[in-house]
Amino acid sequence: MSQSKNVDSLEHVLLTTSNTDGRLNTLQHLFVFYQNQNHQRTLELTNEIISIADSIRNNKWLLEGYMNKASVLRIMSQFEESLVLLNNALRLASNFDEKTEAKIINKIGNVYVSKGDYVKALESYQKSLVLAERMQDFEKIAHACGNIGLVYFYIGQYEDALLNMKKSAQILIDKFNPGRAARAISHIGATYHLMKRYDSAIYYYRDAINKLVGQNDRYSLIMNSNNLAQLFLEQHQIDSANKYIDFARAENEVLKNNKLEIQNLTIKAQYFEKIDNFQQGINQFILAFDLAQEYNELESSRIATEGLLRLYALIGDYEQAFYFQKKNFQIRDSIFNLEKIKEFTDLRENYEIKRLKIEQAVSNSKLIERQKAIILRNYLLASVTLAFVIILVGVFLYRKKQIQVGILGNHLSGLRQEKNQLLNIVSHDLKNTLNNIHSIIEIFRKKNASNLKAYQVSYLSAMQKNVKRLQVTINNMLNINQLEVKLDQLTFTKVDIGLVLKEVLEQYIFSALEKRVRFSLDIEPNCMVYGDQRYILEVFDNLISNSIKYCPIEDSVSLRLFREGDEKICFSIQNRRKALSIIKIVENKIVTGNSLNLPKGSETSTGLGLFIVSEYISAMNGEIRLDVNEHFIIRFDLPVYS
């Protein structure tokens, strides 16, 4: 209330004052209040600041007006107009000090980040860092390092991002106070979160929250709480997640930020989904969707529609599921812009070319200096024997070859990274499209079950089988392509393997019911292993899906999870199996260790998935065995967590 009264008072002063300095100061105070709330009003205020400053030839106020208006235009996505104003301000800054110049260059970097031009953003932040280091301005050094870290974060270079973010945080802690470092520490947590290094992410998120308590930065406090809640949900720590969800919601009751409220509602909906309270989850997703539509938050709308599609399908309301599926298609069409992806790819390629040219120029310069040194040495040591000259020439040629190999290695690394990015885009969009096709066919069958003829039903079934076959093919091809990389990224932690097994079984309940397959479960509690939870989940997913797929109708599948001594946790899966060609494929890889023979002709392609299962188990120091008699049994062991 008092803040509202102050604004009303300032508006009254603005109407009554004719003093130029007083009017400019009042306009600036009003801009600070309105900048995150009313963009139209802030544009009016900045236009008047620029007009008055220009009329009285006051470059200081003119520069301030340019920077203020540029900030508003950036938020409104008017990037080119924002850059024009900042370049005008940069020309004026030459009459002031380097501190002002560094501030403007940093703002230019912010515009390029919002625009998606990360190469130019990185150049701007590096210029700002050079100026800050020359002035020994530690606050601006920390700010520039933090921004450089964020750019590396956006383009997926996470190690470089962490290096710069940690440097920023350490400077703020050493030179100022720990509270100033909270935002940088939060960014470190977000980077570890995306790298799936969850223990590190939790540590830094909590550290940021502790440092933010008592600080005047409620936005960052809420954002960190929401991020930490999301991470706990991913780790199935439901109670911890709910604690931080409620804390963030209570804090936002004071701040009243719409974007944070949408984020909090979405996470709360996911919490209800985790505890199987689907109706409450639907209610939260609908609130998030309505608010996101009102404020044109497309990404938040997409997440909400996907959640509603998923939950309505789970409760059997296919009409609503179909409705939100169509909504999701419309929103994705608005977000997905191939031209922007092409523009970003071109920028990345140009950046890599520039970097390689710089490295090559440096290498050539070093090579020229080395050649000069060799010529001078040969001139001074004319009496050296021919054998010594031959050795020197050999060393020179070997070093030159090393430099060339290094350049080619850097180029190959860049090509590999671009290939992985392309695979990620292809896998994401192909799998989403195939899932949507499968869902549409299923909804069409259920809605028109009574009107379809037998041959029409058979056609729809054939379409669904082909969609599933494509899904398996895509997953297996991508897994084989990335298997070597993924095995280098194993994160060994304590894992409750029983909980992971139950989670996977829940995903295949409907598939089992469709074939009338019965599960016989014998799960010993508190089976803790030392391995990577992500890859254990993939192992179970492959084995259970194959057991259902190849199990005869109305047959049974037996699952056992038990301890064997003090050092092993064992899992076995058993069902009737008559496809001898597939057994031979699995025996060939798992039992004899020979190279994998891929299926041909009409054979199915499960051998590829089981090959990946074998590699995952071996990488986690486990063993996998096959027993073929009347039944088909796969068993694997993993080390007990101690």
Side-chain angles (χ1 to χ4, degrees), residues 293-358:
Q293 290 287 96
E294 182 180 351
Y295 293 99
N296 198 32
E297 292 284 346
L298 292 178
E299 183 61 21
S300 298
S301 298
R302 180 190 66 79
I303 294 170
T305 53
E306 287 178 356
L308 288 165
L309 166 61
R310 188 169 61 250
L311 292 182
Y312 274 123
L314 281 172
I315 66 174
D317 191 340
Y318 296 106
E319 185 173 348
Q320 285 295 324
F322 187 64
Y323 170 79
F324 281 105
Q325 188 175 51
K326 289 194 293 185
K327 281 284 185 185
N328 183 258
F329 285 158
Q330 294 167 1
I331 293 166
R332 284 171 58 83
D333 286 343
S334 300
I335 296 173
F336 192 68
N337 187 327
L338 287 175
E339 288 299 321
K340 285 197 173 182
I341 291 178
K342 183 178 182 301
E343 180 183 352
F344 174 70
T345 303
D346 291 342
L347 287 171
R348 287 294 309 279
E349 289 175 351
N350 291 335
Y351 172 77
E352 288 298 322
I353 290 169
K354 285 182 181 178
R355 186 175 63 79
L356 288 173
K357 285 182 177 178
I358 292 169

Side-chain angles (χ1 to χ4, degrees), residues 258-288:
N258 295 318
K259 186 173 182 179
L260 292 176
E261 185 177 354
I262 295 169
Q263 184 187 32
N264 188 264
L265 287 168
T266 302
I267 297 171
K268 189 71 172 179
Q270 293 168 356
Y271 161 76
F272 282 123
E273 184 178 356
K274 287 282 185 183
I275 63 173
D276 295 337
N277 192 339
F278 299 137
Q279 190 56 54
Q280 283 289 351
I282 288 171
N283 294 341
Q284 296 293 311
F285 271 132
I286 287 175
L287 290 173

Side-chain angles (χ1 to χ4, degrees), residues 17 57 146 207 287 358 429 470 504 570 619 636:
T17 187
R57 299 290 189 269
D207 191 26
L287 290 173
I358 292 169
D429 289 345
L470 277 172
V504 174
C570 303
F636 68 80

